[in-house]
Amino acid sequence: MRNWSLAKPALALGFLLAVACFAPNFYVLFADETYDVAILNGRVMDPESGLDALRNIGIRGGKIAVISESPLSAKSTIDAKALVVSPGFIDLHEHGQEERNYEFQARDGVTTSLELEAGTDDVDRWYALREGKSLINFGVSIGHIPVRMKVMGDPQGGMLPTGDAAHRAASQEEFEKITTAMDKGFRRGALAEGMGVNYTPGATHWEIVEMFRIAAKYGASVHVHLRYGGLKEPNTGLAAIEEVLAAAAATGAPLHVVHITSMGLKYTPQLIAMVKGAQQHGLDVTTECYPYTAGSTALQSAIFDPGWQENMGITYKDIQWTATGERLTAETFDKYRKQGGVVVIHSIPEEAARTAVADPIVMIASDGMPITGAKVHPRGQATFSRVLGHYVREEKALDLMTALRKMTLMPAQRLEKRAPMFKEKGRIRVGADADITVFDPSRVIDKATFDEPLQYSEGIPFVLVNGIVVVKDSQLVSGVHPGRAARAPLAN
Ligand SMILES: [Zn+2]
């Protein structure tokens, strides 16, 4: 008798299920309640687990809820037949942090765009400007360059210093203000520390060490544009990497060397060897590159102080004015340097670019620029599709899984010690954030060029950010802003 009280509801439930199973829409009804979006029949590639197989993915509440060989249905479905389903790309280095940049980046497969090299001097303000308004996820570092510009009274407005912040050592009082501002940035959740010693050559070696010490206190990586990017002894890229390897070793701060190709030029393999050697001997050091043979920066910056031709092994004609696309002469160099503006610098040997793109330890990051001139560098619009289309498919310089690892898992791992939220990014795993890029490995390609840089990449038909579709059938979805702040925990 006692069992009856339990059995009666069970029998009733069984009867209801039996009826429901005969109802024609039962399975659809059941599944509709389960997943918001399903990505079906795709070749799912996950660099963390090594999974590379046909699977269906169910997404609920912005997270990956199931990865299954069984059929799924949902409120909306994406047919990913013959397409690769990858974690969304994480760009550690993108200076253009406006909606137009995010649109180009989404079309290039990027779901998280981070400004970690230059960074900001006001972390709260930076995040507040983008909260609730962004197509893709966004994040920033506390930047030694902008902090130094503010403290030392450099002309504001530009991204890079031209006055005292570039050329002069800080006084004791200025140094203390810089230190305080950097520390505050970390307490407000900056993801990393940004540094560009090449742009602040007046900063003493000791100031650089002290900046590493602050980052070490917060377990934050220092994303550094090295002091030199030159070929001429003693100011070579090799000497410059020695400075920051020593600072990392002496303070315990993790080090991330940005755009290793434009720093190393023809000595790029030697710089990569330095990073590898440091890793093998226990230092937390990483690096990144973009897949191009040209750099880009402000012509008025300290990089073009006297000696630049010998340092970089280039001359006027290798520099392109982005407002018009014209190559410079001695006369136009002087004129535009006074005026101020962005140039493209054709200085990186193809062999260096290819070596770095192919190397499994070198992450992919765009170094994309704000879209100010008609001939802006194409890297911000097309870096990721260029690696997948040109270097993986056409050149066979590296395999697809290695390339994806360099764009997804490795950048997430770079940041997860400082910002644990990155443990849920860069992976196709149950419970991970549903930041997902769906592309055609036989068609994906960059279309942006130095002549026509404002072209969307092709062969990336679907992109999801926190489970929301932002690219559908190779078109941007309008009116959606699912991007969230990628930020480290706040501290007192
Ligand atoms: Zn840089």
Side-chain angles (χ1 to χ4, degrees):
M1 282 300 285
R2 264 177 299 174
N3 285 342
W4 261 110
S5 59
L6 290 171
K8 262 192 278 189
L11 276 176
L13 184 63
F15 177 72
L16 278 174
L17 277 173
V19 171
C21 285
F22 288 107
N25 289 328
F26 170 74
Y27 290 107
V28 174
L29 282 170
F30 187 78
D32 272 357
E33 288 171 357
T34 308
Y35 303 114
D36 301 330
V37 185
I39 304 172
L40 303 176
N41 307 311
R43 176 184 169 193
V44 174
M45 295 185 72
D46 174 49
E48 185 180 50
S49 62
L51 177 69
D52 180 357
L54 292 183
R55 291 287 185 275
N56 302 310
I57 294 181
I59 294 162
R60 184 171 43 209
K63 302 270 185 189
I64 296 173
V66 67
I67 303 167
S68 174
E69 290 178 77
S70 307
L72 301 174
S73 57
K75 288 172 195 155
S76 69
T77 59
I78 291 169
D79 179 10
K81 191 163 186 271
L83 303 175
V84 167
V85 179
S86 155
F89 308 149
I90 299 171
D91 189 352
L92 292 175
H93 191 155
E94 166 62 67
H95 300 296
Q97 291 283 332
E98 306 301 329
E99 198 60 9
R100 191 73 184 118
N101 302 102
Y102 294 162
E103 290 173 356
F104 278 111
Q105 290 222 281
R107 290 289 307 271
D108 200 36
V110 175
T111 53
T112 300
S113 180
L114 308 171
E115 158 58 294
L116 301 186
E117 181 205 34
T120 181
D121 60 12
D122 188 339
V123 171
D124 283 326
R125 183 167 178 275
W126 194 94
Y127 279 108
L129 282 170
R130 291 162 182 84
E131 205 85 53
K133 300 175 202 163
S134 297
L135 189 65
I136 60 179
N137 303 314
F138 49 91
V140 76
S141 64
I142 180 69
H144 178 244
I145 295 174
V147 163
R148 206 169 199 273
M149 286 170 74
K150 195 183 223 175
V151 168
M152 297 181 71
D154 226 71
Q156 300 285 307
M159 192 162 77
L160 296 168
T162 53
D164 280 1
H167 296 113
R168 174 167 77 67
S171 69
Q172 186 58 33
E173 192 194 340
E174 287 165 339
F175 176 77
E176 279 161 22
K177 281 186 182 161
I178 291 169
T179 304
T180 303
M182 298 300 289
D183 196 87
K184 184 186 173 199
F186 284 120
R187 284 184 282 112
R188 298 312 303 162
L191 281 177
E193 181 170 290
M195 187 173 281
V197 197
N198 212 345
Y199 297 107
T200 59
T204 63
H205 287 76
W206 189 248
E207 180 175 328
I208 302 309
V209 173
E210 286 294 309
M211 294 305 118
F212 271 72
R213 198 185 308 285
I214 299 168
K217 186 174 145 192
Y218 292 95
S221 45
V222 185
H223 294 239
V224 58
H225 176 137
L226 302 176
R227 187 180 286 274
Y228 315 115
L231 299 170
K232 188 174 157 258
E233 293 286 4
N235 299 344
T236 63
L238 215 55
I241 205 168
E242 287 168 3
E243 177 186 16
V244 290
L245 284 172
T251 62
L255 166 65
H256 182 80
V257 178
V258 303
H259 48 53
I260 197 160
T261 52
S262 68
M263 306 276 60
L265 303 176
K266 71 174 176 183
Y267 298 125
T268 295
Q270 285 90 328
L271 264 69
I272 294 174
M274 292 288 275
V275 174
K276 277 185 191 162
Q279 288 177 347
Q280 284 159 8
H281 293 92
L283 278 188
D284 182 359
V285 183
T286 53
T287 188
E288 62 172 53
C289 72
Y290 47 75
Y292 291 92
T293 55
S296 182
T297 195
L299 185 59
Q300 67 274 26
S301 71
I303 283 184
F304 291 103
D305 285 354
W308 62 270
Q309 289 158 290
E310 224 177 348
N311 281 340
M312 288 189 266
I314 56 169
T315 186
Y316 299 106
K317 68 169 173 40
D318 299 309
I319 302 175
Q320 212 174 352
W321 184 240
T322 60
T324 59
E326 71 190 273
R327 300 285 182 138
L328 298 191
T329 62
E331 293 72 40
T332 52
F333 177 91
D334 290 341
K335 177 180 147 198
Y336 291 141
R337 187 160 152 89
K338 276 194 203 95
Q339 182 183 321
V342 175
V343 288
V344 167
I345 314 161
H346 296 272
S347 60
I348 304 168
E350 168 61 25
E351 194 50 39
R354 188 190 161 98
T355 297
V357 167
D359 196 300
I361 75 148
V362 182
M363 298 177 208
I364 304 300
S366 75
D367 196 5
M369 301 292 279
I371 299 169
T372 48
K375 306 293 182 184
V376 64
H377 198 300
R379 65 196 182 189
Q381 294 78 264
T383 276
F384 295 87
S385 54
R386 180 165 173 77
V387 170
L388 296 173
H390 181 64
Y391 284 105
V392 174
R393 185 180 63 243
E394 294 174 354
E395 293 282 308
K396 298 184 172 43
L398 71 168
D399 67 84
L400 186 53
M401 187 67 96
T402 302
L404 293 177
R405 172 179 284 266
K406 285 151 59 81
M407 312 172 166
T408 60
L409 182 65
M410 287 169 69
Q413 288 174 330
R414 171 73 289 178
L415 297 171
E416 67 191 27
K417 181 171 149 201
R418 164 80 183 142
M421 62 174 296
F422 278 91
K423 290 180 180 166
E424 309 306 329
K425 295 198 179 293
R427 285 106 166 156
I428 299 286
R429 192 224 295 130
V430 171
D433 295 339
D435 295 339
I436 298 175
T437 293
V438 181
F439 65 93
D440 182 344
S442 70
R443 281 191 55 239
V444 61
I445 198 70
D446 56 311
K447 300 304 281 185
T449 62
F450 290 100
D451 282 335
E452 294 292 339
L454 299 181
Q455 308 288 321
Y456 292 120
S457 299
E458 288 185 355
I460 305 180
F462 297 97
V463 178
L464 290 83
V465 174
N466 296 307
I468 304 295
V469 180
V470 300
V471 174
K472 184 182 182 186
D473 299 323
S474 301
Q475 299 295 320
L476 289 165
V477 177
S478 61
V480 294
H481 302 97
R484 292 189 198 146
R487 195 166 179 172
L490 304 188
N492 290 321

